[in-house]
Every structure is written in C-alpha cells, then in structure tokens.
Amino acid sequence: MDVDTIAAISTPIGEGAIAIVRLSGNEAIKIAGQLFHGTDLNKVESHTIHYGKIVDPVTNEVAEEVMVTVMRGPKTFTREDVVEINCHGGLASVNRLLELSLSQGARLAEPGEFTKRAFLNGRIDLSQAEAVMDLIRAKTDKAMNVALKQMDGKLSKLVQTLRQQLLETVAHVEVNIDYPEYDDVEEMSHEMLITKTKEVYVEIERLLQMAKQGKILREGLATAIIGRPNVGKSSLLNALVQETKAIVTDIPGTTRDVIEEYVNIRGIPLRLVDTAGIRETEDIVERIGVERSRQVLKEADLILLVLNNGEELTEEDIKLFQAVDGLEVIVIVNKTDLEQRIDIQRVKEYAKGHKVITTALIEEKGINDLETAIAETFFAGHLDAGDLSYVSNVRHIQLLKQSLDALTEAMNGMEAGVPIDLVQIDVTRAWELLGEIIGDTVHDSLIDQLFSQFCLGK
Amino acid sequence: MTYDAGHYDVIVIGAGHAGCEAAFAAARRGAKTLMLSLNLDMIAFMPCNPSIGGPAKGIVVREVDALGGLMGKVIDKTYIQMRMLNTGKGPAVRALRAQADKPLYMQEMKRLLENEENLTLRQAMVEKLIVEDGVCKGVITETKAAYRAESVVITTGTFMRGRVIIGDVSYESGPNNQRASVKLAENLEELGFELVRFKTGTPPRVNNHTIDYSKTEIQPGDENPRHFSYETTEAILDQIPCWLTYTNEFTHKIINDNLGLSAMYSGMIKGTGPRYCPSIEDKIVRFHDKPRHQIFLEPEGRSTEEVYVQGLSTSLPEYVQREILRSIPGLENSEIMRAGYAIEYDSVVPTQLWPTLELKNIPGLFTAGQINGTSGYEEAAGQGLMAGINAASKALGKETVILDRSQAYIGVLIDDLVTKGTNEPYRLLTSRAEYRLLLRHDNADIRLTDIGHEIGLVTEERYQNFLEKKKLIEEEKLRLENITLKPTDQLQEIIEAAGGTALRDALKAADLLKRPEMKYEMIEAVTPSDKELSWEVKEQIEIQIKYEGYISKANQQVDRMKKMENKLIPDDIDYDDISGIATEAKEKLKKVRPLSVGQASRISGVNPADVSILLVYIEQGKIARVSNE
C-alpha cells in the first residue's frame, strides 16, 4: 500500500478546548519526533502518551505545548504507525502544527484517506466497504466544491499565469531537445532559464507572503502590550478597545489574567493580548501571569512596549528591550502629561530603529499617531485587503511552498552547470504542483504548447 | 472458394517497419511464421523521409536493438550519414540520427528476412480475417489462399482505404502509388473495429543534378560516427552530406496565392493531420509572420539521384509545387522526380488494444505500426517488435512481454496509445516520457538486454559480452567511489585546465567526477584502472556517477509509480457494479479496461477519487473471494 505518511486535523474545525493533528504512515513517528521536544518518540513504547513542546525546526521557536500519543502499527486505526498530537484548541495553533508536520515530509491527507487506509490495510470488514466508498465520494465532492469555492478567482488566474510562463519556458527547452536543428528558436541558455524561473519564483514568494498577511487579516495581528507595572498598559488597551475590560488601578500587578480582545485599527484586526506586568515577583499568582506573558511575547506579531515618561529608564525597562529584540515593536512613551524624566534619546537608542510614539493616554492624546504607526508597520501604508485574503487554504499554501522548493532546486542546478534538460525536470515539477492547486495536471498541455508556440515539421 | 494454403503459428500482414520486426521476432522466437506483403520489392520501404532516429526515436531504435530486433543493425549497414544530436545537452536527450540509403536499406532487410529460419515470405493481398467464435484463426487472400494461424499481426501502415491527394487530383492508393487495401478495411469494420481517418503527407523529390548546392549550406555527418546496434563494429566513413536552404517571401506568396488549391484547405481532406509534421501551407498560415522556413535537401541513397526536400510536405497541385521549389535558392532549376502528396487512411483506435497490442475483442489478432495511429518508422518498428514477441508468446504458450513507462520509450509509446488513444498521428517526443533521464540512448542495453536474451532474441555470445560490460562498469564505479585523490600538482593542473577551482582537500574520485567540468578521462589520467575499458564503459561510468542525484530522484518516482502499477485489476471486473465512480470515468474504464490501477490513473477523465474507489472495490473483491472459499 501507500507508504507515504499522511497528516490531517482530526478534530472538527472550530474553537474547542483541544484539537488533534493525526499522522499515519511509515514515517509518522519520525516526523513527529523531528518536531517534538521531550522524550525521544522513536524510543517510546507503543500506545503511550507524552508531554512536551512542538518546536519549529527552522526557527527553533516553541510553537505549542502538546500531548503526543504514539501508536505503532498494526494495532491502530489504519494499521500503520499513528501519531496524534493534542494541542490547545483554536484554528491558528492547530493549523500551525499541521503545517509543521507537512514541512517535515508528511502529505496532506486526501478526504477520507485515513478510513481508506484503514480499509485497504484490512482494518475494516467487508460490510463497511460500501460505506467507505460512499464516504470517499461524498468527502471528495464536498472538498472539491469547498475548495473551488474557497479558491478565489484571483488566485486561480494568477496561478494560471504563472503556469503558462513555466509552460512556455519548458516548451522552449523541449523544442530545443526534440527539434535540435530548428534554427529560429534561440537555444535556451542557463541565463535565460534562470531569469524566467526567477520571475515565477518571485511571484510565488509574493503569494506566500500574502498568505501570511492574509492569515493576519483572518486571525488578527497578535498584539502584546508589555511594560513595567503601572506604566499605562491597561489604559492603552482601554484606549484601543474603547471600553473598560482590564482593570485600571494605580496598584502594580492588578491585571493578572491575559485578556484577549479584537479591535480594528485602520482595517487591520488586532488581537490584543494584555499581559500581566512583566517583572520579578515573589507572588505566585503574579508569576504565572509573568510566565504566560513571556510565552505570549514570542507568539506576538506586534509588541507594544509601554514606558513611563514620568520616570527614568529602569533596569526592568532595559530587560524588556532585550526581551523583544528582533521582534516587531512599537515603543510608546506614555504619561506625557507628567513631567518628563525619561531620556528620550536613550529610548531611541534602545528602540533600534523601531517607531517611538509619545502618548498621554489618560488625556486620550497620541492614539492617532499610534494607529498610524501600526498601519504603517504592517502594510507599509498600502493595504489592499482584497489582495491579501486569497491564499488561505493549507493545501494551496503547501503546494505553493513545494513548487517554490522545486524552482529553488532548478536554480541551484543551473548555477552548478547541470545540463538544461535535467534542470528542466524540476521546472516541470513546479508547473505540475501549481497545476494541482487549480486541479489541472494534464500533461498533454505541454505538447499542445509545443506545437502552438513553435512552427515545427519536416 | 478458398484453398487450404497451410498452417502457421504467426502470420504477419505487411512488410513495412512494423511488419519486418514482428515477423523476425516471432520467427526468431521459434514460431513458424508467414509474412504476407502485397509487393515483395517493397519490404522495409521508407515512403517519407530518408532518415532513421533523432530525439526519442533514435532511442527507440537502440531499444529495438537491445531487445534483439533488426532496425539498428540494418541502418548501421546502410547509412549515408550519421549524426549525434543534442551533444551540448544532458545525456538523457542525446540522440543518434542516420540518413538512410533507402534502396540499400530495403535490400539488406529483405536479405535478413529471407535467410531467417522459420520465416516464409509471400506476396499476397489479404482481404479477410478468419474469425471463429470471436477468435482470430487466420487470413484469406485475394487469390483465395486460406492460411490458418494461432496469431495474426496486422501491420498495414497507411494502406487501409488509402487515398492520395495532390491538389484537386485524388485517387485510391497506398503510399507511392501502391495498391490500397480496401477489402481488409471493410472486413475490420464488419468485425466491429472502431476506425478513425488520419492524414499525413510527404514533400516532393527532386533530381540531384538540377540542384545548385553552392547556394545552400552543407550539413555534414559526424567524423566518428556512432551506431545504433550494440553489435556494429565497423563504421561507414565515406559519408554524404545534406544541405540546408530556406523559403522566402516569394515562396510564401506563391503558397498564399494558391492556398485554395491545396487539398488541405479546399476541404478535400477530412482526416486529421499531425501537428508535428505540418504541410508547408500549414506553416505559412499558422505562422504567417515567420519570414522563412528551413528546407533540408537529403539524398535518398548512393545509387539514386533523388533528393528529398525536407520541410516542403504539401498537397498543393503539382505545377504549384514546381513554382514553390523554383522560388527557393539552389532549387531554381530543380526538376521534380516525384511530386509531394497528402495521404488519408484508416487507422485503428488504439484503445481497443491490450498493452500486448492484441485486440481486446478479437483474441489472436494483433495490430502494430501506423495502423495504430502512430507515425514514424521507429514507432512502427518498436510496436512491430512487441507485437511479434507477443504474437509468438500466444502461439507458443509463453509469457507475454509488456514494457512499462520506466523501462523504455517503447513502453511509453504503447502505454500512451492503449491508455489514452490519440486524436492525431502519434509521434514520440522526449517530453512524453516522464522518466526520460532513465530512458537514455546510452543505457538501452542495460535496460533491455536481459529481456531480449530471456525471450530468445539476443544471442548468447552478445549476452555474455553485455554481462562483461556491466561487470566492468560496476567494478570501476566502486573503485572510484572508494579511492581518495590527494590534491597533487598533476591533479590541480588537470582541474585548472578544465576550468575548475583547485582542490583544497583530498576527496573521493567519484566526488571529483561529479563536478560539471570533470570527465572520466581526467580522473583516469591520475588513477587509471588496471582493466582495459572501452569508451562505452567509460561513458556509462561518467553518466552514472555525474548524474547520480537526478537519477536516484527519478528512481524514487518510478518506485512510487510501480506500487500503483502492481495493483492489478481483475479482468472480470464489472465497473457498472461500482457505485461511487463517476459516469464519465466508468465509460472510459469500460472502454480501456486497464490492467492495473496505475494504468487506470493515466486515463483522462478518471480522477483521483475514482482511483481511490477502484482500489477499495478491488480490495473488497479480494475479501469477498477469500470469505467465499
């Protein structure tokens, strides 16, 4: 049977307390092991559950705290090795886990594929076979309809354009091969092929970038507000939310829970996460809040670091600057209504080129500047939401990534001086992968292209 | 009344490039074989261009030879020019092409066939098949001879209801004014064959003495010609060049002015022509902004003055052809010896065939070559060989032989035909092969000699030579993978001379060979093998090591494909019984009757969900069978 390893989200899509990503196949345990930090999954006993963290192997960032169940075949649903990764509910985190699994070599399962494998591996008896076939048909039709509906006309057009560019390039190479004496097609050189490939490469990269931005639009820009206690974090939150959710007091440490709130800033949805003030403290409840605040920091797309205009920079402020180094930060110097004690010049040095805004939130001053800064940071001022939302499907993103990989291999080959007809295999692969996005993989179109583009014959 | 003319194991109808290979293969395998041709002077005739090989096609000739067929051997003895094409590209697309001496080629092929044990040649026009209880049992000729046989192979090319068209002149004819085969076509129709009308064409031939070559460019052959056959040892050194000239705006004006007279445009031709081989009028119409087209002048042999005008295939009236020719530099005073013409003919819709080339509905009957909707001598030879092998298998009760897409271009060709069919005359192109890196010119013997030997077409002597070659390759590869080269002055000089960057550390010889600029000879200069290695062996070592990464990637793809290929579909499957499969897919599956799930997945209109359901259904059937037992 199929030996490749498949992965899918096995819990209903939507907000639940937990969600499960399931992997099945020969490499299921290996793939999970590459992501899991904790016990070595390759060595654990079958049918055991393990606590640990999922870490992105590229960035080394912790993606999620999880419980992982390892079940070796044949005593599993599919009779293959199965791994189930239990994570916190919520679309964003479970999608991320799925993406990470796919990046490590799993293939996105087709509709009903777990059941199909279960059947083909003899797990399900004859009476269930009909049901399996109905399931495949129903799920495929539904998935196809959904996929077609999901696929924006713009994406499909763009993918078609890119495919056409690749196809013309490939046809050009093919003509050189099949009609070597045909004189008025220029011989496709490595330089030409690199140029052509690069054009498509850049476009796909842009699409993927959009996918990322599109995700921000859908899920909100995770925004963390940090600062020492009582610098005005809750006031900032309130100013943005325009309603009192967090408790605003003058007593340090009163905002204990992480509160999430969605606000819309100039068309950008911000998922505001207020953290308990980050500082060393003996208080146990307070410390849990701090821990969670730190965790949130790495997850955040945007960090608003609030400082107090009325106090000099403290060690803690500087630690905060260090903690957010390399992340997307806007520095807010609040309480300009108080006498200035802070050294703005030093603040700017620590901000390392990030925007520094001054506000007096209590007097509702500077909020407009802040909103402008947020909008500029993320979309360089030219946001077109229509452009951003169209690559959303995990499958599409995965295929785009794979075609990008194929093009990378092609370009590497060209630079290494590999003969053009070999390099072209990878270009063709990219073309096929793009075709899978729009459901068009008919190989014959290459031959059609060949004869419509060039005048050939004997 | 018919008379009993004898009983054979295999009968081959036709003696073109498919028929010759089919008859030879069947006879060599030990089947008592009869080859019927309506004109024994036309055995292995080339009705169109005087060349064999080229991209993809040349590899087919190598494959035919590796399997023990004839085409490679015969052309190696009779070429007037040999060229290796695509030498500047990768090893997978290098292609050998020969200009043939047409009369000599025919003579040599006839000689080989006449002297083949088990093979009888006879001149006859077959009019009817003997079909009893749905099974083909033999043939009946025009002269009332009834031959009975276990298997019959039809290789009638473009002869079936052939019609030649030149301008407004049209007459019933096979190629080159031979008799068309009409009754057989009608008989096939009666038997329920699905036929389709195709069209092809050929350019005029002119007299060599009337060409002014000073106005053309010379196209010489290779100085050190390579060969198609693994058995060829002697090269033909006195090669004859071809010549290149061009059409021009005057040529194009003549064609445009007379377009209405072309059979292609006047509506006289109903058949579908091949896009890869358009007539000159097609080229002018479809690519009207091109200022000129290439015209190659190719001699048809040493003993003839006829020159083939490649690039000028046409169905315009003869007097227009003369005008066109005379507008072309070098051909101003040319005399036509034969006019170009278009030909329409019946061909069999190839999805009616099993991958063995046996008809699904008439067991015992095989078809091969242009009758199956292909074009090209090489495509015909490849099919003929496989049909002959399988016709003999059938008659002698041996295993059938099917090549898959990863084994040979012949496998790609036949799989395309029987799985997808074709809506124009089919020509092999390198782009049709998804594993072309594996289907190289240089490794045809490694891919196929074992099979050729097993079925009795490759001689023991040649097989032993092949095994020895394989052993040498493996040993030397192993040696290069294990030997470490130190960055000596000598080596650095060699690398520098080749344009590479100097070595910093010692490395394995094989790794050095992987560098694009390195050749086996350079490695050999530093660390020679203690064995005498032929250049073929060296070439294999170099290619296998250099492109190892790409080759192993291709092999992985093949492994994936094979998994689906090994899932066989029971021949008694009832597609109507499978509820989930889409109606269109069902119709296609019923028609093609794929042997494996892999083949099913290549049928257009059968989507992945249908394939999944098919898999489940087959598995269900297996369970049902087990529980019944």
PDB file of all heavy atoms in Angstrom, chain B residues 289-315:
ATOM      1  N   ASP B 289       3.918  35.237 -39.677  1.00  0.00           N
ATOM      2  CA  ASP B 289       4.917  36.289 -39.514  1.00  0.00           C
ATOM      3  C   ASP B 289       6.361  35.772 -39.632  1.00  0.00           C
ATOM      4  O   ASP B 289       7.302  36.547 -39.552  1.00  0.00           O
ATOM      5  CB  ASP B 289       4.716  37.040 -38.182  1.00  0.00           C
ATOM      6  CG  ASP B 289       4.592  36.087 -37.003  1.00  0.00           C
ATOM      7  OD1 ASP B 289       4.419  34.866 -37.255  1.00  0.00           O
ATOM      8  OD2 ASP B 289       4.666  36.543 -35.855  1.00  0.00           O
ATOM      9  N   LYS B 290       6.513  34.481 -39.832  1.00  0.00           N
ATOM     10  CA  LYS B 290       7.876  33.974 -39.989  1.00  0.00           C
ATOM     11  C   LYS B 290       8.375  34.246 -41.411  1.00  0.00           C
ATOM     12  O   LYS B 290       7.734  33.850 -42.369  1.00  0.00           O
ATOM     13  CB  LYS B 290       7.910  32.456 -39.747  1.00  0.00           C
ATOM     14  CG  LYS B 290       8.057  32.110 -38.271  1.00  0.00           C
ATOM     15  CD  LYS B 290       8.474  30.659 -38.101  1.00  0.00           C
ATOM     16  CE  LYS B 290       9.845  30.418 -38.668  1.00  0.00           C
ATOM     17  NZ  LYS B 290      10.354  29.071 -38.388  1.00  0.00           N
ATOM     18  N   PRO B 291       9.511  34.934 -41.536  1.00  0.00           N
ATOM     19  CA  PRO B 291       9.958  35.323 -42.879  1.00  0.00           C
ATOM     20  C   PRO B 291      10.492  34.158 -43.706  1.00  0.00           C
ATOM     21  O   PRO B 291      10.511  34.217 -44.931  1.00  0.00           O
ATOM     22  CB  PRO B 291      11.064  36.335 -42.611  1.00  0.00           C
ATOM     23  CG  PRO B 291      11.541  36.032 -41.229  1.00  0.00           C
ATOM     24  CD  PRO B 291      10.376  35.458 -40.482  1.00  0.00           C
ATOM     25  N   ARG B 292      10.934  33.088 -43.034  1.00  0.00           N
ATOM     26  CA  ARG B 292      11.481  31.976 -43.824  1.00  0.00           C
ATOM     27  C   ARG B 292      11.384  30.682 -43.031  1.00  0.00           C
ATOM     28  O   ARG B 292      11.252  30.680 -41.810  1.00  0.00           O
ATOM     29  CB  ARG B 292      12.949  32.239 -44.187  1.00  0.00           C
ATOM     30  CG  ARG B 292      13.854  32.334 -42.965  1.00  0.00           C
ATOM     31  CD  ARG B 292      15.291  32.557 -43.375  1.00  0.00           C
ATOM     32  NE  ARG B 292      16.183  32.176 -42.282  1.00  0.00           N
ATOM     33  CZ  ARG B 292      17.513  32.200 -42.357  1.00  0.00           C
ATOM     34  NH1 ARG B 292      18.096  32.544 -43.482  1.00  0.00           N
ATOM     35  NH2 ARG B 292      18.242  31.843 -41.336  1.00  0.00           N
ATOM     36  N   HIS B 293      11.391  29.587 -43.756  1.00  0.00           N
ATOM     37  CA  HIS B 293      11.401  28.266 -43.128  1.00  0.00           C
ATOM     38  C   HIS B 293      12.581  27.472 -43.666  1.00  0.00           C
ATOM     39  O   HIS B 293      12.967  27.626 -44.818  1.00  0.00           O
ATOM     40  CB  HIS B 293      10.089  27.516 -43.431  1.00  0.00           C
ATOM     41  CG  HIS B 293       8.892  28.168 -42.824  1.00  0.00           C
ATOM     42  ND1 HIS B 293       8.457  27.920 -41.554  1.00  0.00           N
ATOM     43  CD2 HIS B 293       8.017  29.074 -43.329  1.00  0.00           C
ATOM     44  CE1 HIS B 293       7.390  28.644 -41.293  1.00  0.00           C
ATOM     45  NE2 HIS B 293       7.089  29.359 -42.359  1.00  0.00           N
ATOM     46  N   GLN B 294      13.111  26.592 -42.800  1.00  0.00           N
ATOM     47  CA  GLN B 294      14.263  25.792 -43.219  1.00  0.00           C
ATOM     48  C   GLN B 294      13.835  24.706 -44.208  1.00  0.00           C
ATOM     49  O   GLN B 294      12.787  24.098 -44.050  1.00  0.00           O
ATOM     50  CB  GLN B 294      14.872  25.082 -42.007  1.00  0.00           C
ATOM     51  CG  GLN B 294      15.649  25.980 -41.093  1.00  0.00           C
ATOM     52  CD  GLN B 294      15.926  25.290 -39.775  1.00  0.00           C
ATOM     53  OE1 GLN B 294      15.009  24.772 -39.142  1.00  0.00           O
ATOM     54  NE2 GLN B 294      17.176  25.261 -39.371  1.00  0.00           N
ATOM     55  N   ILE B 295      14.660  24.452 -45.182  1.00  0.00           N
ATOM     56  CA  ILE B 295      14.450  23.345 -46.125  1.00  0.00           C
ATOM     57  C   ILE B 295      15.747  22.535 -46.175  1.00  0.00           C
ATOM     58  O   ILE B 295      16.810  23.070 -46.500  1.00  0.00           O
ATOM     59  CB  ILE B 295      14.150  23.888 -47.549  1.00  0.00           C
ATOM     60  CG1 ILE B 295      12.895  24.768 -47.552  1.00  0.00           C
ATOM     61  CG2 ILE B 295      14.028  22.736 -48.551  1.00  0.00           C
ATOM     62  CD1 ILE B 295      11.598  24.032 -47.308  1.00  0.00           C
ATOM     63  N   PHE B 296      15.664  21.277 -45.786  1.00  0.00           N
ATOM     64  CA  PHE B 296      16.843  20.409 -45.848  1.00  0.00           C
ATOM     65  C   PHE B 296      16.778  19.544 -47.101  1.00  0.00           C
ATOM     66  O   PHE B 296      15.727  18.984 -47.419  1.00  0.00           O
ATOM     67  CB  PHE B 296      16.922  19.491 -44.621  1.00  0.00           C
ATOM     68  CG  PHE B 296      17.232  20.223 -43.351  1.00  0.00           C
ATOM     69  CD1 PHE B 296      16.208  20.648 -42.513  1.00  0.00           C
ATOM     70  CD2 PHE B 296      18.544  20.482 -42.981  1.00  0.00           C
ATOM     71  CE1 PHE B 296      16.486  21.324 -41.331  1.00  0.00           C
ATOM     72  CE2 PHE B 296      18.831  21.161 -41.801  1.00  0.00           C
ATOM     73  CZ  PHE B 296      17.798  21.577 -40.968  1.00  0.00           C
ATOM     74  N   LEU B 297      17.889  19.449 -47.813  1.00  0.00           N
ATOM     75  CA  LEU B 297      17.952  18.606 -49.005  1.00  0.00           C
ATOM     76  C   LEU B 297      18.694  17.324 -48.631  1.00  0.00           C
ATOM     77  O   LEU B 297      19.868  17.372 -48.259  1.00  0.00           O
ATOM     78  CB  LEU B 297      18.683  19.348 -50.126  1.00  0.00           C
ATOM     79  CG  LEU B 297      18.052  20.703 -50.479  1.00  0.00           C
ATOM     80  CD1 LEU B 297      18.918  21.471 -51.482  1.00  0.00           C
ATOM     81  CD2 LEU B 297      16.636  20.516 -51.040  1.00  0.00           C
ATOM     82  N   GLU B 298      17.972  16.202 -48.669  1.00  0.00           N
ATOM     83  CA  GLU B 298      18.540  14.962 -48.170  1.00  0.00           C
ATOM     84  C   GLU B 298      18.579  13.900 -49.272  1.00  0.00           C
ATOM     85  O   GLU B 298      17.539  13.509 -49.796  1.00  0.00           O
ATOM     86  CB  GLU B 298      17.684  14.444 -46.994  1.00  0.00           C
ATOM     87  CG  GLU B 298      17.534  15.479 -45.887  1.00  0.00           C
ATOM     88  CD  GLU B 298      16.639  15.024 -44.740  1.00  0.00           C
ATOM     89  OE1 GLU B 298      16.102  13.898 -44.812  1.00  0.00           O
ATOM     90  OE2 GLU B 298      16.466  15.802 -43.787  1.00  0.00           O
ATOM     91  N   PRO B 299      19.786  13.430 -49.626  1.00  0.00           N
ATOM     92  CA  PRO B 299      19.900  12.392 -50.664  1.00  0.00           C
ATOM     93  C   PRO B 299      19.176  11.122 -50.213  1.00  0.00           C
ATOM     94  O   PRO B 299      19.209  10.784 -49.031  1.00  0.00           O
ATOM     95  CB  PRO B 299      21.403  12.132 -50.749  1.00  0.00           C
ATOM     96  CG  PRO B 299      22.068  13.223 -50.000  1.00  0.00           C
ATOM     97  CD  PRO B 299      21.083  13.782 -49.042  1.00  0.00           C
ATOM     98  N   GLU B 300      18.544  10.430 -51.153  1.00  0.00           N
ATOM     99  CA  GLU B 300      17.797   9.233 -50.786  1.00  0.00           C
ATOM    100  C   GLU B 300      18.644   7.968 -50.884  1.00  0.00           C
ATOM    101  O   GLU B 300      18.165   6.880 -50.564  1.00  0.00           O
ATOM    102  CB  GLU B 300      16.532   9.110 -51.640  1.00  0.00           C
ATOM    103  CG  GLU B 300      15.540  10.238 -51.357  1.00  0.00           C
ATOM    104  CD  GLU B 300      14.095   9.788 -51.352  1.00  0.00           C
ATOM    105  OE1 GLU B 300      13.751   8.917 -52.176  1.00  0.00           O
ATOM    106  OE2 GLU B 300      13.320  10.292 -50.522  1.00  0.00           O
ATOM    107  N   GLY B 301      19.889   8.104 -51.331  1.00  0.00           N
ATOM    108  CA  GLY B 301      20.755   6.935 -51.394  1.00  0.00           C
ATOM    109  C   GLY B 301      21.959   7.185 -52.288  1.00  0.00           C
ATOM    110  O   GLY B 301      22.057   8.238 -52.933  1.00  0.00           O
ATOM    111  N   ARG B 302      22.871   6.212 -52.269  1.00  0.00           N
ATOM    112  CA  ARG B 302      24.071   6.341 -53.092  1.00  0.00           C
ATOM    113  C   ARG B 302      23.791   6.013 -54.554  1.00  0.00           C
ATOM    114  O   ARG B 302      24.442   6.518 -55.448  1.00  0.00           O
ATOM    115  CB  ARG B 302      25.164   5.381 -52.595  1.00  0.00           C
ATOM    116  CG  ARG B 302      25.704   5.757 -51.246  1.00  0.00           C
ATOM    117  CD  ARG B 302      26.627   4.680 -50.694  1.00  0.00           C
ATOM    118  NE  ARG B 302      26.760   4.848 -49.253  1.00  0.00           N
ATOM    119  CZ  ARG B 302      27.629   5.677 -48.694  1.00  0.00           C
ATOM    120  NH1 ARG B 302      28.447   6.380 -49.431  1.00  0.00           N
ATOM    121  NH2 ARG B 302      27.671   5.809 -47.390  1.00  0.00           N
ATOM    122  N   SER B 303      22.825   5.137 -54.787  1.00  0.00           N
ATOM    123  CA  SER B 303      22.598   4.640 -56.141  1.00  0.00           C
ATOM    124  C   SER B 303      21.444   5.364 -56.820  1.00  0.00           C
ATOM    125  O   SER B 303      20.977   4.955 -57.863  1.00  0.00           O
ATOM    126  CB  SER B 303      22.294   3.136 -56.081  1.00  0.00           C
ATOM    127  OG  SER B 303      21.155   2.939 -55.259  1.00  0.00           O
ATOM    128  N   THR B 304      20.971   6.442 -56.212  1.00  0.00           N
ATOM    129  CA  THR B 304      19.864   7.171 -56.811  1.00  0.00           C
ATOM    130  C   THR B 304      20.160   8.664 -56.791  1.00  0.00           C
ATOM    131  O   THR B 304      20.939   9.136 -55.958  1.00  0.00           O
ATOM    132  CB  THR B 304      18.536   6.886 -56.074  1.00  0.00           C
ATOM    133  OG1 THR B 304      17.550   7.790 -56.560  1.00  0.00           O
ATOM    134  CG2 THR B 304      18.668   7.074 -54.582  1.00  0.00           C
ATOM    135  N   GLU B 305      19.579   9.398 -57.722  1.00  0.00           N
ATOM    136  CA  GLU B 305      19.778  10.849 -57.780  1.00  0.00           C
ATOM    137  C   GLU B 305      18.628  11.589 -57.118  1.00  0.00           C
ATOM    138  O   GLU B 305      18.567  12.812 -57.147  1.00  0.00           O
ATOM    139  CB  GLU B 305      19.923  11.304 -59.238  1.00  0.00           C
ATOM    140  CG  GLU B 305      21.089  10.678 -59.997  1.00  0.00           C
ATOM    141  CD  GLU B 305      22.430  10.878 -59.307  1.00  0.00           C
ATOM    142  OE1 GLU B 305      22.653  11.976 -58.754  1.00  0.00           O
ATOM    143  OE2 GLU B 305      23.243   9.919 -59.298  1.00  0.00           O
ATOM    144  N   GLU B 306      17.691  10.846 -56.555  1.00  0.00           N
ATOM    145  CA  GLU B 306      16.546  11.516 -55.929  1.00  0.00           C
ATOM    146  C   GLU B 306      16.958  12.186 -54.629  1.00  0.00           C
ATOM    147  O   GLU B 306      17.704  11.608 -53.832  1.00  0.00           O
ATOM    148  CB  GLU B 306      15.419  10.517 -55.666  1.00  0.00           C
ATOM    149  CG  GLU B 306      14.644  10.185 -56.929  1.00  0.00           C
ATOM    150  CD  GLU B 306      13.378   9.396 -56.652  1.00  0.00           C
ATOM    151  OE1 GLU B 306      12.409  10.005 -56.173  1.00  0.00           O
ATOM    152  OE2 GLU B 306      13.378   8.180 -56.897  1.00  0.00           O
ATOM    153  N   VAL B 307      16.474  13.406 -54.450  1.00  0.00           N
ATOM    154  CA  VAL B 307      16.769  14.159 -53.224  1.00  0.00           C
ATOM    155  C   VAL B 307      15.448  14.554 -52.579  1.00  0.00           C
ATOM    156  O   VAL B 307      14.563  15.112 -53.242  1.00  0.00           O
ATOM    157  CB  VAL B 307      17.624  15.403 -53.530  1.00  0.00           C
ATOM    158  CG1 VAL B 307      17.801  16.253 -52.277  1.00  0.00           C
ATOM    159  CG2 VAL B 307      18.974  14.990 -54.104  1.00  0.00           C
ATOM    160  N   TYR B 308      15.345  14.256 -51.301  1.00  0.00           N
ATOM    161  CA  TYR B 308      14.141  14.524 -50.511  1.00  0.00           C
ATOM    162  C   TYR B 308      14.200  15.970 -50.020  1.00  0.00           C
ATOM    163  O   TYR B 308      15.208  16.406 -49.467  1.00  0.00           O
ATOM    164  CB  TYR B 308      14.142  13.547 -49.332  1.00  0.00           C
ATOM    165  CG  TYR B 308      13.021  13.664 -48.351  1.00  0.00           C
ATOM    166  CD1 TYR B 308      11.837  12.942 -48.528  1.00  0.00           C
ATOM    167  CD2 TYR B 308      13.149  14.444 -47.205  1.00  0.00           C
ATOM    168  CE1 TYR B 308      10.819  13.011 -47.597  1.00  0.00           C
ATOM    169  CE2 TYR B 308      12.130  14.519 -46.275  1.00  0.00           C
ATOM    170  CZ  TYR B 308      10.966  13.798 -46.477  1.00  0.00           C
ATOM    171  OH  TYR B 308       9.960  13.857 -45.549  1.00  0.00           O
ATOM    172  N   VAL B 309      13.123  16.725 -50.243  1.00  0.00           N
ATOM    173  CA  VAL B 309      13.111  18.142 -49.878  1.00  0.00           C
ATOM    174  C   VAL B 309      12.394  18.286 -48.531  1.00  0.00           C
ATOM    175  O   VAL B 309      11.193  18.550 -48.475  1.00  0.00           O
ATOM    176  CB  VAL B 309      12.429  18.988 -50.973  1.00  0.00           C
ATOM    177  CG1 VAL B 309      12.552  20.476 -50.644  1.00  0.00           C
ATOM    178  CG2 VAL B 309      13.061  18.698 -52.333  1.00  0.00           C
ATOM    179  N   GLN B 310      13.145  18.106 -47.459  1.00  0.00           N
ATOM    180  CA  GLN B 310      12.531  18.108 -46.135  1.00  0.00           C
ATOM    181  C   GLN B 310      12.062  19.505 -45.755  1.00  0.00           C
ATOM    182  O   GLN B 310      12.818  20.467 -45.882  1.00  0.00           O
ATOM    183  CB  GLN B 310      13.546  17.607 -45.096  1.00  0.00           C
ATOM    184  CG  GLN B 310      12.879  17.177 -43.810  1.00  0.00           C
ATOM    185  CD  GLN B 310      13.598  17.671 -42.576  1.00  0.00           C
ATOM    186  OE1 GLN B 310      13.337  18.743 -42.083  1.00  0.00           O
ATOM    187  NE2 GLN B 310      14.516  16.860 -42.084  1.00  0.00           N
ATOM    188  N   GLY B 311      10.811  19.609 -45.304  1.00  0.00           N
ATOM    189  CA  GLY B 311      10.258  20.899 -44.913  1.00  0.00           C
ATOM    190  C   GLY B 311       9.197  21.370 -45.890  1.00  0.00           C
ATOM    191  O   GLY B 311       8.571  22.396 -45.687  1.00  0.00           O
ATOM    192  N   LEU B 312       9.005  20.611 -46.951  1.00  0.00           N
ATOM    193  CA  LEU B 312       8.093  21.053 -48.007  1.00  0.00           C
ATOM    194  C   LEU B 312       6.951  20.055 -48.240  1.00  0.00           C
ATOM    195  O   LEU B 312       6.452  19.920 -49.344  1.00  0.00           O
ATOM    196  CB  LEU B 312       8.886  21.261 -49.301  1.00  0.00           C
ATOM    197  CG  LEU B 312       8.482  22.479 -50.139  1.00  0.00           C
ATOM    198  CD1 LEU B 312       8.626  23.761 -49.347  1.00  0.00           C
ATOM    199  CD2 LEU B 312       9.310  22.548 -51.406  1.00  0.00           C
ATOM    200  N   SER B 313       6.551  19.372 -47.199  1.00  0.00           N
ATOM    201  CA  SER B 313       5.413  18.465 -47.300  1.00  0.00           C
ATOM    202  C   SER B 313       4.189  19.269 -47.746  1.00  0.00           C
ATOM    203  O   SER B 313       3.920  20.338 -47.209  1.00  0.00           O
ATOM    204  CB  SER B 313       5.166  17.843 -45.918  1.00  0.00           C
ATOM    205  OG  SER B 313       3.942  17.176 -45.924  1.00  0.00           O
ATOM    206  N   THR B 314       3.487  18.782 -48.766  1.00  0.00           N
ATOM    207  CA  THR B 314       2.413  19.607 -49.334  1.00  0.00           C
ATOM    208  C   THR B 314       1.386  18.782 -50.091  1.00  0.00           C
ATOM    209  O   THR B 314       1.679  17.671 -50.546  1.00  0.00           O
ATOM    210  CB  THR B 314       3.011  20.660 -50.293  1.00  0.00           C
ATOM    211  OG1 THR B 314       1.946  21.452 -50.833  1.00  0.00           O
ATOM    212  CG2 THR B 314       3.758  20.012 -51.449  1.00  0.00           C
ATOM    213  N   SER B 315       0.179  19.344 -50.189  1.00  0.00           N
ATOM    214  CA  SER B 315      -0.829  18.712 -51.045  1.00  0.00           C
ATOM    215  C   SER B 315      -1.296  19.695 -52.106  1.00  0.00           C
ATOM    216  O   SER B 315      -2.391  19.611 -52.615  1.00  0.00           O
ATOM    217  CB  SER B 315      -2.005  18.239 -50.184  1.00  0.00           C
ATOM    218  OG  SER B 315      -2.581  19.338 -49.523  1.00  0.00           O
TER     219      SER B 315
END
